Amino acid sequence: MPPRKINRPGLPPPRRGPAHAGPQTLLEQARRWMNNGDYHRASVAFEKLAREADRLAPVRSPLMYFQAGRCRVLMGDPESGLGLIYRALNALALQARWPELHRSAQITISELRDLGAPAQAEALQIWLEQKSTSAPATLPGDVSPVHENIQLPLNCPNCGAPLLAKDLEWIDASTVVCNFCGGLVRPQ
């Protein structure tokens, strides 16, 4: 017996496919595209997620703008990528998320140098030093507690992104923030 067609008078048929996916599905797809080296599609998806987050959950938009910018840099377009990265970093500064801002800027500076864009890396380093003067003297998260015997999952349960020990921001003795989606991750 074929599936019944639901009659929706006056409503258009539901949209399907990655272009019309919900935010979680689009985030997973963007992450997959980025991991597979399809930086253009990933950048477009991350930008779409960032614009949506600006509207609905501004705390998450810097992460999406940062990933969109990284994709552009990795595509070989550091100028437009840096525009998105500066937007993300300025949003982090406005939200007083100083450790995340510093870590994200350092990642970008390192990637720019690795990709042969030393002028852009130097400009970002100068920008970071200027911003650091407006940061509090001791940054929250600067002193990391000892996190021994904590078994975190390898991937974020919210978005599936890998949780790399060197990039984790601990917010308490047993909770980290996912760098891709901003979700809180606790031990299994």
Side-chain angles (χ1 to χ4, degrees):
M1 183 166 152
R4 257 183 49 163
K5 206 172 187 182
I6 298 174
N7 186 10
R8 299 172 22 146
L11 296 175
R15 296 178 174 183
R16 304 211 193 293
H20 305 291
Q24 197 64 31
T25 304
L26 188 57
L27 178 63
E28 291 167 5
Q29 187 64 54
R31 188 180 50 74
R32 241 181 264 113
W33 283 327
M34 188 173 182
N35 289 340
N36 293 333
D38 191 351
Y39 300 122
H40 177 71
R41 288 172 76 183
S43 174
V44 170
F46 280 124
E47 276 188 77
K48 180 178 180 180
L49 288 164
R51 285 191 305 276
E52 194 66 17
D54 273 342
R55 225 173 34 84
L56 300 173
V59 73
R60 295 183 187 251
S61 69
L63 301 166
M64 300 302 127
Y65 280 119
F66 181 69
Q67 292 299 348
R70 284 185 68 219
C71 287
R72 295 257 181 106
V73 167
L74 293 169
M75 270 176 17
D77 186 5
E79 290 304 320
S80 75
L82 277 173
L84 293 167
I85 289 169
Y86 279 121
R87 183 171 183 168
L89 296 174
N90 279 315
L92 290 172
L94 287 172
Q95 296 171 9
R97 292 163 62 185
W98 302 108
E100 192 174 345
L101 181 149
H102 190 269
R103 184 180 61 250
S104 298
Q106 290 300 335
I107 290 169
T108 304
I109 290 167
S110 175
E111 285 180 348
L112 287 169
R113 286 187 177 130
D114 290 347
L115 292 169
Q120 289 89 349
E122 185 62 30
L124 183 55
Q125 183 69 49
I126 292 168
W127 179 90
L128 180 61
E129 290 167 5
Q130 291 170 346
K131 277 291 181 192
S132 295
T133 60
S134 61
T138 56
L139 299 176
D142 275 357
V143 179
S144 301
V146 177
H147 305 288
E148 295 177 14
N149 301 325
I150 303 280
Q151 285 295 122
L152 290 172
L154 294 175
N155 294 54
C156 174
N158 302 312
C159 70
L163 296 173
L164 304 174
K166 65 182 177 76
D167 297 332
L168 294 178
E169 177 186 347
W170 291 86
I171 60 170
D172 64 29
S174 64
T175 309
V176 297
V177 177
C178 173
N179 288 334
F180 284 88
C181 71
L184 300 180
V185 181
R186 293 183 176 85
Q188 297 175 328

PDB file of all heavy atoms in Angstrom, residues 66 98-108 166-169 177 179:
ATOM      1  N   PHE A  66      33.032  32.686  12.441  1.00  0.00           N
ATOM      2  CA  PHE A  66      34.428  32.276  12.489  1.00  0.00           C
ATOM      3  C   PHE A  66      34.674  31.090  11.551  1.00  0.00           C
ATOM      4  O   PHE A  66      35.632  31.088  10.768  1.00  0.00           O
ATOM      5  CB  PHE A  66      34.823  31.921  13.927  1.00  0.00           C
ATOM      6  CG  PHE A  66      36.260  31.505  14.066  1.00  0.00           C
ATOM      7  CD1 PHE A  66      37.277  32.423  13.899  1.00  0.00           C
ATOM      8  CD2 PHE A  66      36.593  30.198  14.354  1.00  0.00           C
ATOM      9  CE1 PHE A  66      38.606  32.048  14.008  1.00  0.00           C
ATOM     10  CE2 PHE A  66      37.908  29.812  14.478  1.00  0.00           C
ATOM     11  CZ  PHE A  66      38.921  30.742  14.302  1.00  0.00           C
ATOM     12  N   TRP A  98      36.483  36.755  26.309  1.00  0.00           N
ATOM     13  CA  TRP A  98      37.894  37.015  26.025  1.00  0.00           C
ATOM     14  C   TRP A  98      38.732  35.767  25.774  1.00  0.00           C
ATOM     15  O   TRP A  98      39.518  35.756  24.823  1.00  0.00           O
ATOM     16  CB  TRP A  98      38.493  37.874  27.141  1.00  0.00           C
ATOM     17  CG  TRP A  98      37.764  39.174  27.294  1.00  0.00           C
ATOM     18  CD1 TRP A  98      36.933  39.531  28.311  1.00  0.00           C
ATOM     19  CD2 TRP A  98      37.752  40.271  26.376  1.00  0.00           C
ATOM     20  NE1 TRP A  98      36.407  40.785  28.084  1.00  0.00           N
ATOM     21  CE2 TRP A  98      36.896  41.262  26.910  1.00  0.00           C
ATOM     22  CE3 TRP A  98      38.372  40.510  25.155  1.00  0.00           C
ATOM     23  CZ2 TRP A  98      36.658  42.476  26.271  1.00  0.00           C
ATOM     24  CZ3 TRP A  98      38.136  41.721  24.519  1.00  0.00           C
ATOM     25  CH2 TRP A  98      37.294  42.684  25.082  1.00  0.00           C
ATOM     26  N   PRO A  99      38.621  34.708  26.575  1.00  0.00           N
ATOM     27  CA  PRO A  99      39.451  33.528  26.280  1.00  0.00           C
ATOM     28  C   PRO A  99      39.152  32.935  24.899  1.00  0.00           C
ATOM     29  O   PRO A  99      40.063  32.549  24.170  1.00  0.00           O
ATOM     30  CB  PRO A  99      39.089  32.532  27.389  1.00  0.00           C
ATOM     31  CG  PRO A  99      38.540  33.364  28.489  1.00  0.00           C
ATOM     32  CD  PRO A  99      37.869  34.531  27.821  1.00  0.00           C
ATOM     33  N   GLU A 100      37.882  32.896  24.546  1.00  0.00           N
ATOM     34  CA  GLU A 100      37.491  32.357  23.247  1.00  0.00           C
ATOM     35  C   GLU A 100      37.987  33.257  22.116  1.00  0.00           C
ATOM     36  O   GLU A 100      38.461  32.778  21.086  1.00  0.00           O
ATOM     37  CB  GLU A 100      35.969  32.217  23.197  1.00  0.00           C
ATOM     38  CG  GLU A 100      35.475  31.412  22.042  1.00  0.00           C
ATOM     39  CD  GLU A 100      33.974  31.181  22.115  1.00  0.00           C
ATOM     40  OE1 GLU A 100      33.364  31.396  23.173  1.00  0.00           O
ATOM     41  OE2 GLU A 100      33.421  30.776  21.082  1.00  0.00           O
ATOM     42  N   LEU A 101      37.901  34.569  22.325  1.00  0.00           N
ATOM     43  CA  LEU A 101      38.399  35.521  21.334  1.00  0.00           C
ATOM     44  C   LEU A 101      39.897  35.312  21.120  1.00  0.00           C
ATOM     45  O   LEU A 101      40.366  35.211  19.982  1.00  0.00           O
ATOM     46  CB  LEU A 101      38.132  36.959  21.808  1.00  0.00           C
ATOM     47  CG  LEU A 101      38.582  38.068  20.869  1.00  0.00           C
ATOM     48  CD1 LEU A 101      37.658  39.260  21.020  1.00  0.00           C
ATOM     49  CD2 LEU A 101      39.999  38.510  21.104  1.00  0.00           C
ATOM     50  N   HIS A 102      40.650  35.226  22.202  1.00  0.00           N
ATOM     51  CA  HIS A 102      42.097  35.074  22.110  1.00  0.00           C
ATOM     52  C   HIS A 102      42.455  33.758  21.416  1.00  0.00           C
ATOM     53  O   HIS A 102      43.308  33.723  20.519  1.00  0.00           O
ATOM     54  CB  HIS A 102      42.718  35.146  23.508  1.00  0.00           C
ATOM     55  CG  HIS A 102      44.198  35.247  23.474  1.00  0.00           C
ATOM     56  ND1 HIS A 102      45.015  34.140  23.492  1.00  0.00           N
ATOM     57  CD2 HIS A 102      45.012  36.323  23.400  1.00  0.00           C
ATOM     58  CE1 HIS A 102      46.273  34.534  23.432  1.00  0.00           C
ATOM     59  NE2 HIS A 102      46.301  35.850  23.380  1.00  0.00           N
ATOM     60  N   ARG A 103      41.809  32.666  21.802  1.00  0.00           N
ATOM     61  CA  ARG A 103      42.087  31.357  21.209  1.00  0.00           C
ATOM     62  C   ARG A 103      41.747  31.355  19.718  1.00  0.00           C
ATOM     63  O   ARG A 103      42.528  30.877  18.884  1.00  0.00           O
ATOM     64  CB  ARG A 103      41.312  30.268  21.950  1.00  0.00           C
ATOM     65  CG  ARG A 103      41.630  28.861  21.457  1.00  0.00           C
ATOM     66  CD  ARG A 103      40.857  27.780  22.193  1.00  0.00           C
ATOM     67  NE  ARG A 103      39.429  27.917  22.027  1.00  0.00           N
ATOM     68  CZ  ARG A 103      38.583  28.277  22.996  1.00  0.00           C
ATOM     69  NH1 ARG A 103      39.015  28.524  24.202  1.00  0.00           N
ATOM     70  NH2 ARG A 103      37.297  28.380  22.764  1.00  0.00           N
ATOM     71  N   SER A 104      40.592  31.910  19.355  1.00  0.00           N
ATOM     72  CA  SER A 104      40.172  31.936  17.950  1.00  0.00           C
ATOM     73  C   SER A 104      41.119  32.780  17.105  1.00  0.00           C
ATOM     74  O   SER A 104      41.475  32.399  15.988  1.00  0.00           O
ATOM     75  CB  SER A 104      38.751  32.495  17.835  1.00  0.00           C
ATOM     76  OG  SER A 104      37.840  31.679  18.522  1.00  0.00           O
ATOM     77  N   ALA A 105      41.547  33.922  17.635  1.00  0.00           N
ATOM     78  CA  ALA A 105      42.474  34.787  16.907  1.00  0.00           C
ATOM     79  C   ALA A 105      43.817  34.087  16.715  1.00  0.00           C
ATOM     80  O   ALA A 105      44.412  34.149  15.624  1.00  0.00           O
ATOM     81  CB  ALA A 105      42.665  36.110  17.637  1.00  0.00           C
ATOM     82  N   GLN A 106      44.301  33.392  17.742  1.00  0.00           N
ATOM     83  CA  GLN A 106      45.582  32.693  17.626  1.00  0.00           C
ATOM     84  C   GLN A 106      45.506  31.571  16.588  1.00  0.00           C
ATOM     85  O   GLN A 106      46.450  31.361  15.822  1.00  0.00           O
ATOM     86  CB  GLN A 106      46.028  32.141  18.986  1.00  0.00           C
ATOM     87  CG  GLN A 106      46.436  33.201  19.976  1.00  0.00           C
ATOM     88  CD  GLN A 106      47.606  34.055  19.478  1.00  0.00           C
ATOM     89  OE1 GLN A 106      48.402  33.649  18.655  1.00  0.00           O
ATOM     90  NE2 GLN A 106      47.684  35.269  19.989  1.00  0.00           N
ATOM     91  N   ILE A 107      44.389  30.852  16.552  1.00  0.00           N
ATOM     92  CA  ILE A 107      44.199  29.802  15.543  1.00  0.00           C
ATOM     93  C   ILE A 107      44.268  30.418  14.146  1.00  0.00           C
ATOM     94  O   ILE A 107      44.940  29.905  13.254  1.00  0.00           O
ATOM     95  CB  ILE A 107      42.847  29.074  15.752  1.00  0.00           C
ATOM     96  CG1 ILE A 107      42.895  28.214  17.013  1.00  0.00           C
ATOM     97  CG2 ILE A 107      42.475  28.244  14.528  1.00  0.00           C
ATOM     98  CD1 ILE A 107      41.537  27.676  17.442  1.00  0.00           C
ATOM     99  N   THR A 108      43.583  31.553  13.963  1.00  0.00           N
ATOM    100  CA  THR A 108      43.546  32.211  12.660  1.00  0.00           C
ATOM    101  C   THR A 108      44.929  32.722  12.267  1.00  0.00           C
ATOM    102  O   THR A 108      45.352  32.561  11.110  1.00  0.00           O
ATOM    103  CB  THR A 108      42.539  33.374  12.673  1.00  0.00           C
ATOM    104  OG1 THR A 108      41.270  32.872  13.061  1.00  0.00           O
ATOM    105  CG2 THR A 108      42.427  34.022  11.311  1.00  0.00           C
ATOM    106  N   LYS A 166      43.228  20.293  22.895  1.00  0.00           N
ATOM    107  CA  LYS A 166      43.961  21.557  22.876  1.00  0.00           C
ATOM    108  C   LYS A 166      43.054  22.765  22.652  1.00  0.00           C
ATOM    109  O   LYS A 166      43.425  23.881  22.960  1.00  0.00           O
ATOM    110  CB  LYS A 166      45.051  21.525  21.804  1.00  0.00           C
ATOM    111  CG  LYS A 166      44.528  21.420  20.389  1.00  0.00           C
ATOM    112  CD  LYS A 166      45.679  21.333  19.392  1.00  0.00           C
ATOM    113  CE  LYS A 166      45.199  21.147  17.989  1.00  0.00           C
ATOM    114  NZ  LYS A 166      44.662  22.293  17.347  1.00  0.00           N
ATOM    115  N   ASP A 167      41.852  22.556  22.123  1.00  0.00           N
ATOM    116  CA  ASP A 167      40.951  23.656  21.805  1.00  0.00           C
ATOM    117  C   ASP A 167      39.802  23.836  22.791  1.00  0.00           C
ATOM    118  O   ASP A 167      38.984  24.724  22.621  1.00  0.00           O
ATOM    119  CB  ASP A 167      40.336  23.448  20.414  1.00  0.00           C
ATOM    120  CG  ASP A 167      41.373  23.447  19.316  1.00  0.00           C
ATOM    121  OD1 ASP A 167      42.415  24.094  19.505  1.00  0.00           O
ATOM    122  OD2 ASP A 167      41.140  22.803  18.279  1.00  0.00           O
ATOM    123  N   LEU A 168      39.731  22.985  23.812  1.00  0.00           N
ATOM    124  CA  LEU A 168      38.572  23.020  24.700  1.00  0.00           C
ATOM    125  C   LEU A 168      38.638  24.179  25.683  1.00  0.00           C
ATOM    126  O   LEU A 168      39.696  24.511  26.208  1.00  0.00           O
ATOM    127  CB  LEU A 168      38.464  21.711  25.481  1.00  0.00           C
ATOM    128  CG  LEU A 168      38.164  20.471  24.646  1.00  0.00           C
ATOM    129  CD1 LEU A 168      38.126  19.244  25.534  1.00  0.00           C
ATOM    130  CD2 LEU A 168      36.873  20.620  23.889  1.00  0.00           C
ATOM    131  N   GLU A 169      37.480  24.778  25.922  1.00  0.00           N
ATOM    132  CA  GLU A 169      37.349  25.810  26.943  1.00  0.00           C
ATOM    133  C   GLU A 169      36.530  25.210  28.085  1.00  0.00           C
ATOM    134  O   GLU A 169      35.360  24.875  27.916  1.00  0.00           O
ATOM    135  CB  GLU A 169      36.634  27.041  26.391  1.00  0.00           C
ATOM    136  CG  GLU A 169      36.401  28.106  27.433  1.00  0.00           C
ATOM    137  CD  GLU A 169      35.575  29.265  26.914  1.00  0.00           C
ATOM    138  OE1 GLU A 169      35.373  29.381  25.696  1.00  0.00           O
ATOM    139  OE2 GLU A 169      35.113  30.055  27.749  1.00  0.00           O
ATOM    140  N   VAL A 177      32.965  23.738  26.452  1.00  0.00           N
ATOM    141  CA  VAL A 177      32.142  24.351  25.422  1.00  0.00           C
ATOM    142  C   VAL A 177      32.620  23.840  24.067  1.00  0.00           C
ATOM    143  O   VAL A 177      33.813  23.877  23.776  1.00  0.00           O
ATOM    144  CB  VAL A 177      32.257  25.892  25.463  1.00  0.00           C
ATOM    145  CG1 VAL A 177      31.453  26.528  24.346  1.00  0.00           C
ATOM    146  CG2 VAL A 177      31.808  26.425  26.803  1.00  0.00           C
ATOM    147  N   ASN A 179      33.518  24.082  20.359  1.00  0.00           N
ATOM    148  CA  ASN A 179      33.960  25.207  19.542  1.00  0.00           C
ATOM    149  C   ASN A 179      33.147  25.389  18.274  1.00  0.00           C
ATOM    150  O   ASN A 179      33.209  26.442  17.658  1.00  0.00           O
ATOM    151  CB  ASN A 179      35.436  25.036  19.163  1.00  0.00           C
ATOM    152  CG  ASN A 179      36.343  25.268  20.336  1.00  0.00           C
ATOM    153  OD1 ASN A 179      35.996  25.986  21.268  1.00  0.00           O
ATOM    154  ND2 ASN A 179      37.500  24.654  20.309  1.00  0.00           N
TER     155      ASN A 179
END
